[in-house]
Amino acid sequence: MAGSTSQARRVIVASLVGTSLEWYDFFLYTTAATLVFGKLFFPTLEPLNATLLALTTNAVAFVARPLGGIVFGHFGDRAGRKTVLVVTLLVMGVSTFLIGVLPGYATIGVAAPILLAVLRFVQGLGLGGEWGGAVIMSLEHADDRRRGFNASWPQVGVPAGFVLATALLALLSATMTDAAFLSWGWRIPFLLSGVLVIVGLWVRLRVTESPLFAEVEKQGRTARMPLVEVLRTHPRALLSAFTARIGVDVAFYTFTVYILVYVTGRLGLPRSVGLNAVLIASALQLALIPFFGALSDRLGRRPVYLAGVVGAAVWVFAFFPLLDTRSFPLIVLAAVVALVTHAAMYGPQAAFIAELFSTRLRYSGASMGYQVAGIVGGAIAPIIALKLLDVYGTTLAVSVYVVIALAVTAVGLAIAPETRDLDLAHPTDLARRG
């Protein structure tokens, strides 16, 4: 069962707009943490330690995301997908706006970094519930032959949000003095979030509920305690979703966040070099992610996903030597190829994870598996990379770390069934899924 073609397109647009805004908010913080927050909220520390602490507050969101996935996943499986998506967008937008008006350490002292961490935690709660709902709405409205393609569009929100956030920060950074950017310029993109959320809410309020969930609700089969049932009936699916994401996250945050720290701190290049390289590569992902999602509809989720894993594991050994050339074209090449391999993993990932779980438990199961992996994946990846380079003095250690994480992802793919041909309209063969 799937929704009408026009409604499916409307859901894709609503999911893409919403996730783009949420990831815009999320990446604003991540990028600002590497460029601004160390100086603004931890000015009494050495630059490296200040950056590490700023990245640690960034990691708070990853800890909050599983909690957000549990809370919003529960209501998404109990009360429906649509309402939850509206709430998550509001939670994310308000917290981002408040970060934009938050005074620094020089004004309110130690309260500044504490409030920063609290607001980042709230951001994580919103994003934790956002991903599952957006992906599942797109998937459950799709024709069976286009589930990978449709579900990949919320994933496009990641590079779209990154491009929007990075482009604004890069523009402000290029047109303002360092002192002005550090004093107030960085706040502008955060404050704009309030306006953008209004647009996202308008789009999301116009979509209909998932037809698959509506059928479950009509039959009185909604789960009373979704997470408990997921743990009991889908343990293998949870493990697969968890492990399949870890390497993707580690590779992505190494290729997009750590590159900013490495290019500016280690190589001494202007921050615009790293920002622009990642911006170009992320822009290409806007087309590549749905391409690989559609390819997974033809070839299967696991083959396309695994091709990306292998490609990233190979490319990471060329990635840092290309950065070390200090040549902008070669730095762009490093980022572009890196994010091509990421797109091959990220395109089929949404459908692959969501299809592992039955409809009545899909929001909770997919959100839990996906978001918990973020703690040991993206949350600590830039921090570990910084420490590895500091301890061993070579980027080879960082490359090996990425490869180990990707090997874990390969295991996650190996223990899962091929999900492309599963019938989502009928809750059969739970043993196979679980």
Side-chain angles (χ1 to χ4, degrees):
M1 181 187 297
S4 67
T5 301
S6 61
Q7 186 59 220
R9 289 173 181 163
R10 183 176 293 177
V11 169
I12 287 175
V13 171
S15 296
L16 175 58
V17 170
T19 54
S20 296
L21 294 179
E22 298 245 3
W23 282 104
Y24 163 81
D25 293 346
F26 196 79
F27 282 126
L28 270 181
Y29 190 102
T30 303
T31 307
T34 63
L35 300 177
V36 175
F37 288 168
K39 299 173 183 177
L40 190 66
F41 292 97
F42 305 98
T44 61
L45 300 176
E46 294 293 327
L48 175 61
N49 291 331
T51 301
L52 282 172
L53 271 178
L55 289 172
T56 300
T57 65
N58 179 52
V60 167
F62 290 87
V63 177
R65 281 165 68 174
L67 181 58
I70 292 171
V71 173
F72 292 116
H74 174 85
F75 289 106
D77 283 329
R78 289 282 297 159
R81 321 322 195 184
K82 178 181 173 179
T83 301
V84 171
L85 282 179
V86 172
V87 173
T88 58
L89 189 61
L90 281 172
V91 168
M92 193 76 174
V94 171
S95 58
T96 302
F97 182 85
L98 291 176
I99 289 173
V101 298
L102 182 65
Y105 185 92
T107 304
I108 59 174
V110 72
I114 293 175
L115 289 173
L116 181 69
V118 170
L119 290 172
R120 184 56 168 170
F121 185 85
V122 176
Q123 275 193 323
L125 289 176
L127 193 60
E130 164 69 21
W131 180 87
V135 164
I136 289 166
M137 281 284 278
S138 299
L139 182 86
E140 293 181 346
H141 275 87
D143 180 276
D144 286 345
R145 295 167 297 179
R146 296 169 62 86
R147 294 198 310 245
F149 176 73
N150 282 32
S152 71
W153 281 102
Q155 304 284 76
V156 177
V158 175
F162 189 88
V163 166
L164 185 57
T166 305
L168 275 172
L169 285 171
L171 177 63
L172 292 170
S173 180
T175 57
M176 303 175 70
T177 64
D178 286 346
F181 180 76
L182 187 62
S183 175
W184 58 270
W186 67 270
R187 298 181 183 274
I188 295 174
F190 285 84
L191 299 177
L192 284 175
S193 179
V195 178
L196 297 175
V197 165
I198 296 174
V199 177
L201 287 174
W202 178 78
V203 174
R204 285 198 166 175
L205 288 170
R206 300 176 67 235
V207 303
T208 60
E209 182 56 86
S210 154
L212 289 179
F213 176 80
E215 184 66 20
V216 168
E217 190 174 41
K218 179 181 178 181
Q219 296 172 0
R221 295 192 294 108
T222 55
R224 186 166 178 267
M225 297 294 292
L227 182 59
V228 174
E229 286 197 41
V230 167
L231 293 171
R232 180 171 56 84
T233 62
H234 293 61
R236 185 174 176 180
L238 273 175
L239 179 62
S240 179
F242 172 77
T243 52
R245 189 191 171 201
I246 289 176
V248 184
D249 251 23
V250 170
F252 178 74
Y253 283 94
T254 300
F255 293 148
T256 61
V257 176
Y258 182 65
I259 184 178
L260 302 179
V261 178
Y262 186 80
V263 166
T264 56
R266 182 80 170 185
L267 301 182
L269 296 175
R271 58 173 172 257
S272 60
V273 172
L275 283 171
N276 290 334
V278 175
L279 185 61
I280 292 169
S282 296
L284 292 175
Q285 281 201 312
L286 299 177
L288 288 172
I289 289 174
F291 167 77
F292 285 115
L295 191 62
S296 76
D297 284 327
R298 299 186 61 185
L299 303 180
R301 314 291 183 229
R302 294 195 302 174
V304 177
Y305 206 138
L306 185 60
V309 171
V310 174
V314 172
W315 187 249
V316 73
F317 290 102
F319 180 73
F320 288 107
L322 286 172
L323 299 185
D324 288 337
T325 65
R326 292 179 167 81
S327 164
F328 180 68
L330 293 181
I331 291 174
V332 171
L333 176 65
V336 166
V337 177
L339 291 193
V340 169
T341 67
H342 176 262
M345 297 182 282
Y346 210 56
Q349 182 188 74
F352 171 76
I353 291 177
E355 288 166 344
L356 289 170
F357 303 92
S358 55
T359 298
R360 64 196 298 270
L361 304 173
R362 184 166 296 128
Y363 206 138
S364 295
S367 296
M368 189 63 179
Y370 184 88
Q371 302 300 349
V372 171
I375 298 176
V376 295
I380 59 175
I383 298 171
I384 290 178
L386 272 172
K387 274 306 201 180
L388 286 172
L389 186 61
D390 185 47
V391 172
Y392 293 101
T394 173
T395 56
L396 181 61
V398 181
S399 298
V400 170
Y401 162 57
V402 173
V403 169
I404 291 172
L406 289 168
V408 173
T409 288
V411 172
L413 295 175
I415 65 175
E418 175 53 60
T419 63
R420 179 189 61 176
D421 298 320
L422 292 177
D423 184 357
L424 301 188
H426 299 92
T428 57
D429 202 7
L430 288 181
R432 181 186 176 196
R433 296 173 190 244

